[in-house]
Each structure stands twice: as structure tokens, then as C-alpha cells.
Amino acid sequence: MHEEDLKDNIALSKYHRIKGKLHLEKVKIIRDNDQIFLGVLRMLYDGAGILDFEISKNNVKLFLEWVNYPPHPDIVVYSSFEIEAEKIWWENIPDLGEPFW
């Protein structure tokens, strides 16, 4: 993450990423690529990265890149999620566990 993208002096992890928990209370609707989503959110491929992450008072937008790793077929897919809820907030926890990679 670039320093100029930071707001409110959020502390970054030692890998220069935000880490923490996204809290959602009373989710009203989830959209997956502009389609209403009624299922259970699951990992579609071996891994995913968040390319864009925006939080407002009652809305979260995530743009994800999904990837597969060998021996699975090489694939890269993009998804856009939008979640509306009564209450949304980010709990910054820069020392929350270490990445598995």
C-alpha cells in the first residue's frame, strides 16, 4: 500500500499492508459483479488478492483477483463485490498473525 493512499494515519503491517477485521452488522444485500448474491461466500480458486477496497458508512466495495497455483490450471479471474449493511467498520490490527506465504 502506498502512503498517499492512507487516510486517518492507519498503521501498516511490517509488509506494508493493512491488516485487521472488517465488521458487518445486519447485512442487507451482497452483489457479485452487479448480480444479487444469495449463496455462501467461498474461495473460488486457490488464492485471492484485494486490488481495491473502499468502505463507507453502509457500504463496502471489494475488487478481487482470483488465481490458481500449480498443479491446478493457470487461471486469473476478477470479481467485484458490493456489500450493504446497517453498520460497517474496520478494526485495524497491524500485527494480526503472519501471512502463510
Side-chain angles (χ1 to χ4, degrees), residues 1 8 13 19 22 26 31 38 40 46 50 55 61 68 73 75 77 83-84 87 96:
M1 183 157 207
D8 302 323
S13 73
K19 289 179 93 175
L22 177 63
K26 297 183 182 175
R31 290 184 188 87
L38 299 173
V40 175
D46 294 334
I50 299 172
I55 299 175
K61 293 180 182 179
N68 264 347
I75 192 165
V77 175
I83 304 167
E84 293 178 28
K87 187 174 181 184
L96 177 72

Side-chain angles (χ1 to χ4, degrees), residues 48-66:
I50 299 172
L51 301 179
D52 191 33
F53 177 52
E54 297 177 32
I55 299 175
S56 63
K57 182 177 180 181
N58 300 102
N59 190 284
V60 173
K61 293 180 182 179
L62 298 165
F63 187 64
L64 305 178
E65 177 183 59
W66 300 92

Side-chain angles (χ1 to χ4, degrees), residues 13 16 21 26 32 73:
S13 73
H16 305 287
K21 294 180 183 179
K26 297 183 182 175
D32 178 3

